[in-house]
């Protein structure tokens, strides 16, 4: 489990309990789905939150994915925070009530439960990043899920073909069962030929950044990314960054990656999307392991950014004064 001094963090059983309690207490607006299993058989959960949650209404859908990387435990706390925020404030906070009555929100609170548990099971942190899928003909375990997505997979020197690497891209795109489950879920949100999800955030730590695609190239525009697409990403990214003090930039300004969820969500699904790298800004704030005392402050810090994302879900291009 987590060390006693960090007991406010939720391990996977505790997260599951939060999800189950949340949907039990708010059955009209919150519903749990199990969209697949991890390599070791743990549930990949999705929670839908919306007015009339039982009905698939024709409302823009918003996706939050958390914890692709095992050691980035603060992102699970961000999911716990959002679950509580949306359900507790529905019918109380006017803005949240209006958003939940006009959008359908999907929170996937832990994409990599095997990795999360492996990281904490000894009681001391192991700095684990990847999933826990074995690789044939080597003792090196794990695929970096955020290099395993099926868009320009392994194209550009932004991942490794060596199983021992922290950024091992896997044997083939979607070879990680967790990535495959989430990709199938997102593809499943195509209704009558139209992707229902319009905007998304994939939560990571750390560095306090808001990143937008593409990550595989330094170019701003390219195949499938017009100047309007780029400027929409950039303007909404900057708008959100003004509320939380993170630094907004294109993903590749940090470093080149290939096979990330960001590039796939845009390149294949045309979902406007961001990587949020949460607290701290640098190693001195605790790196991947900040103390649990910071959880309330550093999750609440992203409330207004999330509200902006929900606001623009009906038409992200509105942020640059265009109607799509
Ligand atoms: O490398 C990653 O997958 C992300 N950073 S992390 O430290 N959380 O591992 C960043 C992904 C965003 N894409 C690029 N930076 N190109
Ligand atoms: Ca609804
Ligand atoms: Ca819908
Ligand atoms: Zn990460």
């Amino acid at each position: 489990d987590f060390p006693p001094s960090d007991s406010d963090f939720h391990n996977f059983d505790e997260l599951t309990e939060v999800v189950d309690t949340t949907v039990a207490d708010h059955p009209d607006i919150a519903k749990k789905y199990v969209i697949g299993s991890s390599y070791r058989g743990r549930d990949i959960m999705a929670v839908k939150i919306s007015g009339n949650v039982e009905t698939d209404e024709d409302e823009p859908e918003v996706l939050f994915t958390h914890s692709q990387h095992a050691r980035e435990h603060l992102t699970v706390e961000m999911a716990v925070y959002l679950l509580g925020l949306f359900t507790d404030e529905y019918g109380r906070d006017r803005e949240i009530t209006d958003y939940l009555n006009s959008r359908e929100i999907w929170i996937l609170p832990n994409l990599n439960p095997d990795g999360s548990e492996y990281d904490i099971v000894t009681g001391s942190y192991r700095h684990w990043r990847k999933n826990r899928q074995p690789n044939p003909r080597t003792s090196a375990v794990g695929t970096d899920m955020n290099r395993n997505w099926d868009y320009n997979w392994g194209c550009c020197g932004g991942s490794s073909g060596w199983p021992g690497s922290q950024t091992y891209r896997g044997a083939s795109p979607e070879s990680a069962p967790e990535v495959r489950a989430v990709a199938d879920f997102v593809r499943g949100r195509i209704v009558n030929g139209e992707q229902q999800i319009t905007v998304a955030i994939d939560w990571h730590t750390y560095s306090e950044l808001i990143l937008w695609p593409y990550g595989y190239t330094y170019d701003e525009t390219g195949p499938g990314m017009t100047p309007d697409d780029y400027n929409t990403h950039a303007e909404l990214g900057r708008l959100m960054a003004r509320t939380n003090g993170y630094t907004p930039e294109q993903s590749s300004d940090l470093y080149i990656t290939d096979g990330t969820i960001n590039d796939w969500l845009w390149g294949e699904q045309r979902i406007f999307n961001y990587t949020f790298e949460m607290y701290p800004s640098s190693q001195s704030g605790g790196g991947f392991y900040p103390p649990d005392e910071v959880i309330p402050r550093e999750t609440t810090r992203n409330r207004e950014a999330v509200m902006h994302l929900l606001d623009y879900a009906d038409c992200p291009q509105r942020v640059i004064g265009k109607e799509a």
Side-chain angles (χ1 to χ4, degrees):
D1 205 350
F2 284 96
S5 62
D6 278 340
S7 61
D8 286 355
F9 283 95
H10 292 75
N11 66 28
F12 189 66
D13 283 346
E14 291 163 346
L15 173 66
T16 303
E17 196 169 298
V18 166
V19 167
D20 290 345
T21 304
T22 301
V23 304
D25 289 351
H26 305 274
D28 298 339
I29 56 164
K31 187 174 164 73
K32 172 183 170 177
Y33 296 79
V34 175
I35 63 167
S37 296
S38 68
Y39 182 82
R40 290 283 169 206
R42 293 186 175 91
D43 289 349
I44 310 293
M45 299 184 283
V47 183
K48 181 185 172 187
I49 306 184
S50 181
N52 300 324
V53 70
E54 291 286 346
T55 310
D56 184 2
E57 299 183 289
D58 187 12
E59 299 170 335
E61 299 186 16
V62 178
L63 176 68
F64 297 107
T65 51
H66 301 253
S67 193
Q68 284 203 82
H69 291 144
R71 62 193 168 196
E72 300 172 13
H73 301 286
L74 190 59
T75 70
V76 171
E77 302 311 312
M78 191 65 214
V80 170
Y81 168 73
L82 290 176
L83 288 167
L85 176 69
F86 293 140
T87 54
D88 293 342
E89 294 298 319
Y90 184 76
R92 296 205 174 110
D93 180 280
R94 173 63 190 273
E95 193 182 23
I96 287 177
T97 307
D98 287 350
Y99 286 144
L100 292 201
N101 285 336
S102 58
R103 282 113 178 79
E104 296 184 317
I105 297 167
W106 294 99
I107 298 173
L108 277 55
N110 193 344
L111 269 47
N112 181 11
D114 295 351
S116 301
E117 288 298 293
Y118 180 79
D119 195 53
I120 61 171
V121 73
T122 64
S124 7
Y125 296 124
R126 284 165 140 164
H127 295 263
W128 193 256
R129 169 181 172 92
K130 300 187 286 182
N131 74 356
R132 290 295 300 164
Q133 181 176 15
N135 295 299
R137 292 174 300 279
T138 163
S139 59
V141 171
T143 294
D144 181 353
M145 291 170 52
N146 206 25
R147 300 294 184 276
N148 190 237
W149 296 79
D150 194 7
Y151 181 78
N152 285 346
W153 178 79
C155 69
C156 302
S159 60
S160 173
W162 174 58
S165 168
Q166 293 280 20
T167 57
Y168 178 51
R169 69 177 75 99
S172 56
E174 300 181 11
S175 57
E178 301 88 353
V179 171
R180 177 64 168 270
V182 177
D184 281 344
F185 167 78
V186 173
R187 284 186 285 260
R189 299 316 306 146
I190 300 174
V191 177
N192 296 326
E194 193 184 345
Q195 175 56 254
Q196 301 296 299
I197 302 169
T198 58
V199 291
I201 294 174
D202 184 46
W203 298 90
H204 289 256
T205 70
Y206 60 93
S207 290
E208 300 187 1
L209 305 172
I210 295 182
L211 307 171
W212 55 80
Y214 286 124
Y216 79 88
T217 173
Y218 295 119
D219 295 344
E220 294 187 350
T221 58
M225 181 74 83
T226 67
D228 278 357
D229 297 332
Y230 183 85
N231 291 330
T232 298
H233 275 105
E235 277 311 305
L236 182 51
R238 290 175 188 130
L239 181 66
M240 292 190 290
R242 282 199 288 277
T243 70
N244 63 8
Y246 290 11
T247 301
E249 62 188 9
Q250 186 177 343
S251 299
S252 53
D253 292 348
L254 183 60
Y255 44 76
I256 291 283
T257 50
D258 45 51
T260 65
I261 191 172
N262 289 100
D263 286 5
W264 183 80
L265 285 174
W266 182 257
E268 288 292 331
Q269 302 294 327
R270 295 294 185 266
I271 296 168
F272 288 91
N273 79 93
Y274 300 89
T275 293
F276 273 44
E277 299 276 5
M278 296 177 67
Y279 181 88
S281 58
S282 68
Q283 175 62 46
S284 62
F288 294 112
Y289 300 106
D292 66 0
E293 284 80 6
V294 310
I295 293 171
R297 184 188 74 212
E298 294 301 328
T299 52
T300 310
R301 182 177 178 180
N302 288 309
R303 176 177 169 151
E304 291 315 310
V306 164
M307 292 302 133
H308 280 310
L309 189 81
L310 296 180
D311 181 8
Y312 284 98
D314 64 311
C315 180
Q317 295 88 346
R318 187 158 50 81
V319 79
I320 58 164
K322 305 221 172 178
E323 300 291 323

